[in-house]
Amino acid sequence: MDKFIIEGGERLKGKVRISGSKNAVLPALAATLLQRGKYSIGNVPRLMDVTTMMQLLDLLGARCVWRDEHTIDIDTTGVENHVAPYELVKKMRASVLALGALIGGLRKATVSYPGGCAIGERPIDLHLKGLSALGCDVAIREGYVDVTAKKLKGARIVFDSVTVGGTENLLMAAVFAKGETLIENAAREPEVVDLARMLKKMGARIEGEGTAVIRILGVGELNPCAWDVIEDRIEAGTFLAACGMTRGSIVLENCVPEHIKAVIDKLTETGMEIHCDGRTIKASMSKRRPLAVDIRTVPYPGFPTDMQAQLMASMTTSKGVSAITETIFENRMMHAAELRRMGADIRVVGNTAIVHGVESISGAKVMATDLRASASLIIAGLAAYGKTEVSRIYHIDRGYERIEEKLKNLGARIERVKDENMGA
Ligand code: UD1
């Protein structure tokens, strides 16, 4: 197992290129199960989660090969298997996206029921309710969700709350459903829109993606396609947060500023100067201490829960007091305790963290608990005085492509080393 050793205190400076989006590529890969044939998915980041999704597709009978650094060729002609096993789903919850894709493609899916995870319970009841509405029989047996559909029929599905994965699963399941399907209170995240656009390129009839009501008219068949996924808005936001906390000055290339408008607005409130030009963002903190801001996580287009931990890190050395409220997941404040070990003044009351900005924090040995928490600890380590060791960084490898290389190019002192105290 690896850990990062960070010598803090360097201001980030320079250019960084943003990779393809993890949360867009996973549904895009799953969607290749809808119609047998040859696909090519581009702008793919090299991440553990992508490897896991490729393993799942291979296990189901597809063949996935890297054509070049960022393109995967997928042949789903031989897909016969419809079982996503426990061993893969426990590694990556997004395997649950196989549900909608297999139902659409094979009319049957058996997927290990995902358990809780570090950030919350994360049930899939809304996915299952939606599938039932489309005419599926749903049963839970021996830890697996067993879904079959003799016929898929269009339905009106109103989500009780906004779910990204649920919207994606139902989009995929509904493309072949006879008649009209309406998904109301749908997720509006850019990754949902990207999936809808890929499905439309395949011949699906979908309207309203990016709004709260998505309308799908069932079609008889689709055509495999080539698709380039969008850039990773959370990676972009993470670099901006790191720039703010280290009081640096960076340029993000290859990103979509509109996708992180809420994050840009917040960082602007902290005093960061941000200029967007096409697919480039220039950000500068001009050696200033960030001002404290309040944050509340909400579904897109509001402030994303996936940026909460990183902004909490930057608030630890801000001027003033910041209230950070998490409304999406029940247990997404684990990084607060680790940041406290670095000298941060954070009090968590319910789902709100009150952060009193201190002049500076100091390096410490800290442990990553989930993907975005790892990012927040790295950001804190970059700005802290002295040495920070972040262990359990397998979390970061799930979702950030070559993060230490990108940070080094921006002047950070960060090294990946073997963690002798942790097992392999
Ligand atoms: C996706 C993202 C994740 C992000 C999250 C919220 C991927 C691979 N992951 O996760 O990075 O943090 O959106 O933006 O795209 N819920 C239910 N019942 C359900 C489904 C969800 O109660 O059937 C709840 C969840 O427990 C959570 C909330 O709804 O509290 C939002 O979850 P959801 O949008 O479904 O998140 P994911 O799709 O799992």
Side-chain angles (χ1 to χ4, degrees):
M1 214 179 270
D2 295 346
K3 65 180 174 185
F4 281 140
I5 309 265
I6 305 166
E7 290 289 344
E10 300 294 334
R11 294 200 164 98
L12 293 191
K13 241 177 104 187
K15 289 184 181 169
V16 59
R17 190 178 165 81
I18 300 306
S19 298
S21 158
K22 168 179 94 69
N23 288 353
V25 77
L26 299 175
L29 289 171
T32 65
L33 295 166
L34 281 170
Q35 181 78 49
R36 291 193 175 101
K38 292 183 176 168
Y39 296 77
S40 135
I41 308 290
N43 202 24
V44 181
R46 292 269 184 166
L47 302 171
M48 261 324 285
D49 274 8
V50 170
T51 308
T52 308
M53 190 55 103
M54 289 168 78
Q55 282 169 354
L56 175 58
L57 292 179
D58 282 341
L59 207 102
L60 296 174
R63 284 194 311 143
C64 305
V65 282
W66 287 99
R67 185 202 306 169
D68 57 39
E69 181 62 16
H70 292 296
T71 311
I72 307 177
D73 286 332
I74 302 142
D75 186 350
T76 56
T77 313
V79 170
E80 297 290 350
N81 185 2
H82 62 279
V83 182
Y86 175 68
E87 289 65 32
L88 285 180
V89 180
K90 79 168 185 206
K91 265 209 229 165
M92 185 185 67
R93 298 183 56 86
S95 318
V96 86
L97 292 168
L99 257 185
L102 284 169
I103 276 296
L106 298 178
R107 303 289 187 275
K108 54 187 175 182
T110 301
V111 174
S112 175
Y113 201 109
C117 84
I119 61 174
E121 277 192 33
R122 304 183 80 175
I124 54 162
D125 55 318
L126 303 175
H127 304 224
L128 301 183
K129 245 166 92 175
L131 289 171
S132 300
L134 292 177
C136 298
D137 290 320
V138 178
I140 315 290
R141 287 189 201 101
E142 296 166 4
Y144 280 75
V145 190
D146 225 341
V147 186
T148 48
K150 282 195 193 74
K151 256 169 83 182
L152 289 164
K153 55 174 176 34
R156 179 172 169 227
I157 295 154
V158 185
F159 280 129
D160 291 346
S161 60
V162 176
T163 160
V164 174
T167 306
E168 290 166 346
N169 253 335
L170 290 183
L171 254 178
M172 290 189 278
V175 289
F176 293 126
K178 198 166 168 9
E180 180 187 81
T181 298
L182 286 176
I183 306 178
E184 297 186 23
N185 200 18
R188 291 177 281 170
E189 270 66 2
E191 296 77 17
V192 173
V193 174
D194 203 47
L195 172 66
R197 289 189 178 154
M198 173 181 168
L199 296 174
K200 287 210 271 198
K201 189 171 181 198
M202 290 166 69
R205 294 180 64 193
I206 300 171
E207 289 169 8
E209 68 276 14
T211 76
V213 181
I214 304 179
R215 180 165 172 260
I216 305 137
L217 283 175
V219 294
E221 67 172 349
L222 297 173
N223 307 300
C225 74
W227 187 251
D228 286 344
V229 299
I230 51 170
E231 284 69 34
D232 200 310
R233 63 192 167 106
I234 305 300
E235 187 198 16
T238 300
F239 279 106
L240 289 180
C243 171
M245 191 168 182
T246 61
R247 301 169 197 185
S249 193
I250 65 171
V251 178
L252 306 185
E253 292 177 333
N254 197 42
C255 62
V256 187
E258 193 194 315
H259 290 169
I260 46 166
K261 176 141 190 347
V263 175
I264 289 176
D265 287 352
K266 268 299 156 201
L267 288 169
T268 304
E269 271 183 59
T270 70
M272 187 181 266
E273 282 168 27
I274 303 182
H275 297 287
C276 304
D277 184 10
R279 292 168 54 80
T280 301
I281 301 177
K282 285 188 182 150
S284 173
M285 207 59 202
S286 311
K287 304 181 184 172
R288 281 192 309 266
R289 186 172 171 190
L291 303 173
V293 290
D294 291 341
I295 292 161
R296 188 181 169 81
T297 65
V298 280
Y300 191 84
F303 191 92
T305 173
D306 284 351
M307 280 301 302
Q308 179 257 105
Q310 300 88 316
L311 259 285
M312 191 187 297
S314 12
M315 287 298 100
T316 59
T317 54
S318 67
K319 214 162 151 185
V321 183
S322 152
I324 302 178
T325 304
E326 171 62 51
T327 76
I328 309 289
F329 292 107
E330 322 78 271
N331 193 28
R332 207 173 198 181
M333 294 268 175
M334 306 258 274
H335 39 281
E338 297 300 294
L339 291 169
R340 245 182 253 132
R341 303 192 60 253
M342 301 177 75
D345 180 350
I346 307 176
R347 193 160 50 92
V348 178
V349 185
N351 61 352
T352 298
I354 310 292
V355 187
H356 285 258
V358 293
E359 284 280 339
S360 62
I361 57 171
S362 54
K365 291 187 179 179
V366 289
M367 200 160 73
T369 47
D370 67 70
L371 171 57
R372 306 303 169 186
S374 332
S376 83
L377 298 177
I378 292 173
I379 292 172
L382 293 172
Y385 280 104
K387 185 164 101 174
T388 295
E389 286 187 28
V390 186
S391 59
R392 301 209 170 160
I393 57 166
Y394 52 85
H395 291 294
I396 207 107
D397 294 333
R398 280 190 38 224
Y400 287 90
E401 188 177 44
R402 297 182 287 106
I403 190 165
E404 71 271 35
E405 203 180 306
K406 291 188 181 189
L407 286 170
K408 268 188 198 166
N409 284 340
L410 293 172
R413 287 187 290 163
I414 176 168
E415 295 296 336
R416 180 185 288 259
V417 297
K418 286 263 165 282
D419 192 347
E420 306 300 341
N421 294 323
M422 313 284 291

